[in-house]
Amino acid sequence: MSQSLDEGPFFHGTTAELNVGELLTAGRRSNYRPEIVMNHIYFTALVDGAGLAAEIAAEIAEGHRLPRVYQVEPTGEFENDPNVTDKKFPGNPTRSYRSTAPLRIVREVTEWTRLTPEQLQMWRERLSALRSSERGEIIN
């Protein structure tokens, strides 16, 4: 399945401080809906997409958390992320994927397009609206 989806490289955005070689696994709470334990680990082939996820995670996190982006390597099969693929965007223009298998940390990425304060505010408002509507449902 994953051989035909994308060649990568792949990236994951988070607030976790991780080391090369560590594994990211499914089974953690959603950054967007903390009441949901995720059955998959999510990643993208777009470094700025991972940066966006990291910055949103930092906005939502309790305390002062830094956004971090890591280049990752899938250790097993993966699929298109159904939360965005053909649901919100036709096809997979965000090159977003998910896997039940762990992702191995290859390196930390320090350069991506950062959100402006205005963009962060827009995302705060979007997330607030999504949480109170059916459109915010996560396909887990």
Side-chain angles (χ1 to χ4, degrees):
M1 173 192 305
S2 60
Q3 294 81 0
S4 63
L5 291 179
D6 205 313
E7 297 288 323
F10 299 111
F11 305 94
H12 177 82
T14 184
T15 59
E17 188 172 343
L18 303 165
N19 296 305
V20 171
E22 284 189 71
L23 297 175
L24 288 164
T25 59
R28 307 245 187 239
R29 296 200 174 276
S30 166
N31 287 329
Y32 310 104
R33 290 205 178 265
E35 69 276 12
I36 299 173
V37 174
M38 302 304 292
N39 296 327
H40 300 86
I41 187 79
Y42 291 80
F43 58 102
T44 177
L46 303 176
V47 71
D48 285 348
L52 171 62
E55 293 201 51
I56 290 172
E59 278 292 306
I60 294 170
E62 300 216 358
H64 180 68
R65 303 289 303 261
L66 295 175
R68 297 178 181 276
V69 173
Y70 297 96
Q71 183 178 344
V72 295
E73 175 181 84
T75 63
E77 296 291 317
F78 59 92
E79 65 185 4
N80 288 315
D81 175 0
N83 293 288
V84 292
T85 305
D86 292 330
K87 180 178 178 187
K88 295 179 182 162
F89 308 105
N92 190 357
T94 61
R95 296 174 66 195
S96 298
Y97 306 98
R98 71 181 191 176
S99 180
T100 56
L103 302 176
R104 182 172 288 107
I105 302 296
V106 175
R107 68 182 179 94
E108 185 167 1
V109 176
T110 57
E111 301 211 7
W112 70 87
T113 305
R114 301 301 297 255
L115 298 179
T116 65
E118 295 79 17
Q119 290 169 320
L120 280 170
Q121 181 59 37
M122 178 199 66
W123 278 104
R124 278 186 214 104
E125 292 167 7
R126 276 186 177 175
L127 288 170
S128 179
L130 275 176
R131 286 186 181 135
S132 61
S133 79
E134 289 180 17
R135 288 182 43 228
E137 176 191 0
I138 294 175
I139 300 170
N140 199 12

